[in-house]
């Protein structure tokens, strides 16, 4: 991860990314705004600093920015008590220069935690709580003026046995270092700890694998609803559900059960955000680009129409361009045949694809 001071980055911004002008009307950012909605994307500080075309694209198209890496524990507190906000601050400076908002991602997750945290969590529940509270205190108080929405707990629900990432036993909570240290109440402990630091911060619980029409996703939705009900029954502070939406073309999508789920979340009084939208293409897809792009766009349109129809007002994609997507680089996720994946609204040359039109059309509602 390249490091730059916030000032250094702002100075390095291309003129088009610095301009304090109204957003162009034909951008996802402006289309969403005109419809009373918000559009954003996950962003990387190293690419903002090194790639002017990438920076200009984010300045034009996104109103919300989620740090793809820079808000994670390993990025912020690699050693106990030694915090590093340089990369996150670079994103905040970029957002300020372009009148964008930044979402926080993610306070508590089982990935991107440094070894010292794993060791501390294994020591005792008291030590686990102290480590959590110290991290939340510094992170939330340092970012308070700029980040008003954090994913407090990321991915707490276990995948059902037999799913892509199976887990032994049938505990509905995912077996993570936090779960092992503090038991199933760690989610409530974390939400209360975040609220204690900031009375008006939007507290979001973020989850994946709950969108599609498969038995695994249905079971995960059931588990998630049970957790949300339990939290709210106990008056635990919680404001929003983040639905990651890493969609997969090889899995079916059916609007009806997903809409029913969203309605159940909505009546609990929680806001619903789409936080990490992208589309994984099937391994078997023939390399006919127009057909692939059309299929991806059709899936995105159906999915977003369902979410927006159920009251979701915020759509965030996990990156903007295929050039820089985790879909093309993550082992086990990238296509085994080496064919570049096309799961984001802009292609590798930063040109709009049918997925861009699908998002625009859904945002217009
Ligand atoms: O896209 C992210 C990748 O660059 C990071 O290496 C990885 C580990 O921090 O996390 C990826 O983002 C994940 C997100 O934080 C949570 N939901 C799943 C995303 C894709 O793995």
């Amino acid at each position: 991860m390249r490091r730059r001071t916030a000032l250094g980055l702002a100075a390095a911004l291309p003129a088009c990314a610095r301009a304090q002008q109204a957003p162009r009307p034909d951008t996802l950012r402006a289309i969403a705004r005109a419809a009373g909605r918000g559009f954003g994307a996950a962003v990387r500080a190293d690419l903002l600093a090194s790639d002017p075309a990438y920076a200009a694209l984010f300045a034009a198209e996104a109103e919300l920015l989620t740090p793809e890496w820079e808000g994670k524990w390993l990025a912020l507190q690699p050693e106990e008590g030694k915090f590093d906000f340089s990369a996150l601050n670079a994103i905040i400076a970029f957002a300020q220069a372009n009148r964008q908002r930044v979402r926080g991602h993610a306070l508590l997750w089982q990935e991107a935690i440094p070894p010292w945290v794993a060791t501390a969590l294994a020591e005792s529940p008291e030590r686990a709580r102290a480590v959590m509270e110290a991290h939340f205190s510094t992170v939330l108080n340092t970012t308070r003026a700029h980040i008003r929405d954090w994913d407090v707990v990321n991915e707490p629900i276990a995948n059902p046995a037999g799913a892509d990432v199976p887990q032994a036993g049938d505990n509905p909570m995912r077996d993570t270092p936090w779960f092992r240290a503090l038991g199933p109440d760690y989610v409530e402990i974390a939400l209360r700890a975040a609220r204690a630091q900031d009375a008006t911060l939007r507290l979001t619980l973020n989850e994946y694998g709950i969108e599609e029409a498969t038995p695994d996703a249905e079971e995960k939705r059931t588990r998630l609803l049970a957790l949300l009900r339990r939290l709210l029954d106990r008056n635990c502070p919680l404001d929003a559900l983040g639905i990651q939406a890493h969609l997969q073309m090889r899995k079916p999508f059916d609007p009806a059960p997903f809409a029913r789920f969203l309605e159940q979340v909505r009546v609990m009084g929680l806001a619903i955000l789409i936080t990490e939208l992208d589309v994984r293409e099937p391994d078997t897809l023939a390399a006919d680009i127009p057909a692939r792009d059309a299929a991806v766009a059709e899936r995105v349109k159906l999915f977003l129409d369902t979410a927006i129809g159920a009251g979701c007002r915020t759509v965030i994609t996990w990156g903007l361009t295929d050039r820089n997507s985790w879909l093309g680089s993550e082992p086990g996720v990238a296509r085994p045949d080496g064919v570049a994946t096309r799961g984001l609204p802009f292609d590798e040359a930063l040109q709009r694809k049918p997925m861009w039109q699908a998002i625009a059309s859904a945002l217009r509602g």
Side-chain angles (χ1 to χ4, degrees):
M1 188 63 49
R2 290 184 59 175
R3 292 182 189 170
R4 288 212 181 192
T5 63
L7 207 60
L9 177 67
L13 293 178
C16 56
R18 270 202 311 271
Q20 290 285 333
Q21 61 202 17
R24 283 179 12 222
D26 64 332
T27 59
L28 294 177
R29 143 177 215 177
I31 290 164
R33 175 61 36 225
R37 304 191 167 106
F39 175 79
V43 72
R44 286 172 43 183
D46 58 334
L47 294 174
L48 286 180
S50 64
D51 184 344
Y54 174 96
L57 187 69
F58 274 79
E61 296 280 346
E63 189 191 349
L64 298 159
L65 299 178
T66 303
E68 188 169 341
W69 167 259
E70 298 77 354
K72 292 171 184 172
W73 197 305
L74 187 53
L76 291 177
Q77 195 186 176
E79 288 176 56
E80 186 163 15
K82 293 197 177 147
F83 287 83
D84 179 358
F85 285 92
S86 55
L88 186 57
N89 282 340
I91 290 176
I92 290 171
F94 181 86
Q96 284 184 304
N98 295 291
R99 291 182 295 174
Q100 296 161 309
R101 282 176 289 140
V102 179
R103 287 197 76 236
H105 173 84
L107 289 176
L108 231 58
W109 191 30
Q110 74 275 1
E111 288 184 38
I113 46 177
W116 74 264
V117 171
T119 307
L121 294 186
E123 278 171 26
S124 69
E126 294 73 28
R127 174 96 164 103
R129 279 183 92 123
V131 159
M132 179 197 291
E133 281 166 14
H135 188 76
F136 284 20
S137 171
T138 298
V139 172
L140 294 181
N141 286 302
T142 304
T143 60
R144 174 187 297 264
H146 305 291
I147 301 183
R148 303 305 308 144
D149 176 10
W150 269 92
D151 289 331
V152 178
V153 180
N154 195 32
E155 304 177 359
I157 303 296
N159 289 305
D164 289 353
V165 190
Q167 156 175 315
D170 57 6
N171 194 317
M173 301 292 293
R174 195 176 176 123
D175 182 14
T176 73
W178 294 104
F179 177 84
R180 265 169 264 149
L182 293 167
D185 286 342
Y186 86 89
V187 176
E188 180 175 345
I189 293 169
L191 289 163
R192 290 192 189 281
R195 176 59 81 234
Q197 295 299 331
D198 189 331
T200 59
L201 180 71
R202 178 152 81 173
L203 309 178
T204 300
L205 187 150
N206 199 40
E207 188 54 272
Y208 79 100
I210 50 177
E211 303 85 10
E212 280 140 347
T214 63
D216 291 341
E218 182 66 37
E219 172 63 18
K220 236 176 147 175
R221 287 194 287 271
T222 302
R223 293 175 176 190
L224 179 55
L225 286 170
L227 172 65
L228 296 177
R229 270 194 207 103
R230 182 176 142 78
L231 291 168
L232 296 174
D233 284 351
R234 293 166 61 88
N235 288 321
C236 177
L238 176 64
D239 303 304
L241 174 66
I243 295 174
Q244 291 189 9
H246 293 290
L247 306 182
Q248 299 193 40
M249 292 300 296
R250 70 185 167 89
K251 296 187 178 175
F253 176 72
D254 179 357
F258 186 56
R260 273 198 300 277
F261 165 77
L262 296 175
E263 177 61 14
Q264 287 173 287
V265 175
R266 204 185 57 76
V267 298
M268 291 182 196
L270 298 174
I272 297 167
L273 293 78
I274 303 303
T275 50
E276 305 186 15
L277 176 66
D278 58 18
V279 186
R280 215 180 290 185
E281 298 179 273
D283 306 339
T284 51
L285 208 57
D288 175 342
I289 285 180
R292 286 169 57 191
D293 286 356
V296 165
E298 188 187 357
R299 172 64 61 96
V300 164
K301 177 77 165 78
L302 188 60
F303 174 77
L304 286 182
D305 281 349
T306 310
I308 288 170
C312 164
R313 295 156 60 90
T314 302
V315 176
I316 297 168
T317 50
W318 205 240
L320 280 175
T321 97
D322 297 334
R323 185 159 90 190
N324 310 110
S325 171
W326 76 295
L327 294 171
S329 56
E330 182 92 355
V333 173
R335 285 175 55 129
D337 57 10
V339 175
T341 194
R342 299 179 64 85
L344 284 170
F346 292 83
D347 70 11
E348 293 190 321
L350 311 191
Q351 298 302 305
R352 288 175 180 174
K353 295 187 305 180
M355 182 175 167
W356 185 97
Q357 307 291 346
I359 298 172
S361 165
L363 285 169
R364 285 191 189 103

